[in-house]
Amino acid sequence: MDKLTKKIINIPKRLLVEEPLNLYSGIRGMFGESSKIAGLPPGSAIYTGFRKDTPFNIDLFSYSENTLEEKNNISIEEVINLPQDGNFKWINIEGIHHAEKVKEICDAFQIHPLTMEDILSVGQRPQIDDTENYLFVALKMLQFDSKNNKTLNEQVSFVLTKDLLITFQERKGDTFEAVRNRLRAGKGRIRKEGLDYLLYALVDTVVDHYFIVLEKFGDILEEIEERIMFQGQKRDFDLLYTLKRELIHIRRSVWPLREVISKLERDEIKLIRKHTRLYIRDVYDHTIQAIDSVETYRDFISSLGDLYQSVISNKLNQVMKTLTIFSVIFIPLTFIAGVYGINFENVPEFRWEYGYAYFWSLIVGMAVVTLAIFKYKKWM
């Protein structure tokens, strides 16, 4: 058993899924955010998540094939007054619970209030919206926190225009560092291609991290299977239930993404070039593989649940078999002891010199004969 599984086994079920980070469960996940915006006019700047401790931060990548300018923690004024120098620009915003600041940026770049509402409504399904001026994509970003052994779920939104790409995140920390490093290195095609290719690269890293999270599930499930076969403890059954709930959340993130990627690939979206659609098709294939993995693990968890019940039933049968054997052995012995414990005076063996030895010989002999019958029948 590795350190990861040991730690996860000891984590309470309420902590294995980090609910404050929008891994909603049950009715709370379906309707929890609706209560915050019920009765408000469409396009209201209301953040529907739970985490509100991330500072508001804006990072900028401005690049061309031969140049790169990276700025961290820039102001909203700098974002609004970016120079029109022909460079590709990627603006990454963290801490969208600062709804008024998000609204200020959306107003500056003429992002529709309904789109802004979708950016701040973090509990919804992945979606895509192709408007006249920009392309909006929202999806779920999954990460596995190895330090705390939790699956983290976060909505990330993309707004692609002709001149820039804006990403909106709930908190600091994402799956985009590999893309940033590619931009810094200036190798490959990422600086040569347009912003639609950058959008593809970011979405691709999100989908690739689904497999990293699912691999962690696979490792844990394999160890649970091994423990069930040899031990079959209740804590493994409880852990299976917790993992099943997590897979339900992952499934809610992955399944709708298939439709989003399909629209990116097949629809005639003017901001997505035909050349880039070839790469998006590869992301679509990865999404299908992720969906298949989720379904496989769900079936695997159900199978492990059945295996656990079978192992427990088999253990119970073994216990009942042992108890039955002892009961059958001692029933005739109890009968013999009862016969010689009756209160009659005219029992011949009572006055016999070897009566006591005869009694114990009869007891032992009956037990040996009973055991011999069990051995012959192969019941033992």
Side-chain angles (χ1 to χ4, degrees), residues 41-308:
S44 299
I46 301 296
Y47 173 67
T48 61
F50 295 93
R51 190 182 184 102
K52 297 185 179 181
D53 58 353
T54 301
F56 188 78
N57 179 68
I58 304 175
D59 295 330
L60 170 67
F61 275 85
S62 178
Y63 65 93
S64 64
E65 182 176 353
N66 301 315
T67 63
L68 172 67
E69 181 182 12
E70 180 179 357
K71 293 183 178 180
N72 298 319
N73 197 21
I74 64 176
S75 65
I76 296 178
E77 290 73 18
E78 290 180 85
V79 173
I80 295 175
N81 298 311
L82 287 175
Q84 301 295 324
D85 52 10
N87 286 353
F88 302 124
K89 295 178 178 62
W90 171 26
I91 301 171
N92 185 60
I93 300 172
E94 299 167 348
I96 61 172
H97 57 272
H98 299 272
E100 291 302 320
K101 295 181 179 180
V102 173
K103 183 179 185 302
E104 186 176 350
I105 292 176
C106 290
D107 292 342
F109 291 103
Q110 298 180 349
I111 298 175
H112 197 278
L114 292 178
T115 302
M116 178 193 64
E117 181 180 344
D118 290 336
I119 293 172
L120 298 174
S121 300
V122 296
Q124 60 190 333
R125 291 162 53 95
Q127 61 172 301
I128 182 173
D129 185 16
D130 182 23
T131 69
E132 182 178 353
N133 299 321
Y134 58 85
L135 172 66
F136 171 70
V137 178
L139 48 82
K140 300 296 182 180
M141 180 167 56
L142 300 180
Q143 299 179 76
F144 192 84
D145 183 359
S146 299
K147 182 178 180 180
N148 298 312
N149 297 307
K150 298 176 183 178
T151 302
L152 307 181
N153 182 317
E154 174 189 359
Q155 176 171 299
V156 56
S157 302
F158 304 85
V159 175
L160 175 65
T161 70
K162 182 180 179 181
D163 302 319
L164 54 85
L165 172 65
I166 308 175
T167 53
F168 297 87
Q169 300 184 49
E170 296 182 64
R171 63 180 183 272
K172 186 175 182 62
D174 51 40
T175 64
F176 299 153
E177 194 59 31
V179 177
R180 294 187 182 97
N181 291 334
R182 287 161 60 188
L183 285 170
R184 293 168 184 142
K187 297 180 180 180
R189 65 178 73 245
I190 191 164
R191 280 205 205 167
K192 302 176 184 178
E193 301 290 345
L195 291 170
D196 58 340
Y197 186 88
L198 177 61
L199 172 64
Y200 145 74
L202 296 175
V203 173
D204 186 49
T205 61
V206 171
V207 175
D208 286 345
H209 271 74
Y210 289 168
F211 292 101
I212 295 176
V213 173
L214 291 172
E215 284 175 5
K216 297 294 184 181
F217 274 84
D219 295 339
I220 297 171
L221 289 174
E222 287 178 2
E223 294 198 8
I224 291 176
E225 180 184 29
E226 183 177 350
R227 287 199 304 272
I228 287 177
M229 290 297 297
F230 291 99
Q231 301 175 12
Q233 298 183 3
K234 187 177 183 300
R235 65 179 183 179
D236 293 321
F237 186 76
D238 295 338
L239 181 56
L240 284 176
Y241 175 75
T242 304
L243 294 176
K244 186 174 183 179
R245 288 187 61 189
E246 283 214 55
L247 278 178
I248 291 175
H249 295 298
I250 294 176
R251 188 176 186 270
R252 290 181 59 196
S253 301
V254 177
W255 263 91
L257 183 59
R258 177 179 60 175
E259 181 181 353
V260 172
I261 303 299
S262 177
K263 288 184 177 181
L264 279 176
E265 176 199 358
R266 298 179 181 179
D267 289 5
E268 294 297 328
I269 300 175
K270 61 183 179 181
L271 292 174
I272 303 296
R273 295 171 299 168
K274 183 177 180 180
H275 175 70
T276 306
R277 290 196 182 99
L278 297 175
Y279 297 100
I280 296 176
R281 184 178 305 168
D282 183 63
V283 180
Y284 180 80
D285 294 338
H286 291 172
T287 304
I288 298 300
Q289 293 175 21
I291 292 174
D292 291 341
S293 297
V294 170
E295 297 303 318
T296 298
Y297 286 136
R298 288 185 68 198
D299 294 339
F300 192 24
I301 288 177
S302 298
S303 300
L304 289 181
D306 295 338
L307 176 62
Y308 172 82

Side-chain angles (χ1 to χ4, degrees), residues 38 41 43 138 250 304 310 318 320 331:
I250 294 176
L304 289 181
S310 299
Q318 292 296 326
M320 294 302 297
I331 284 174

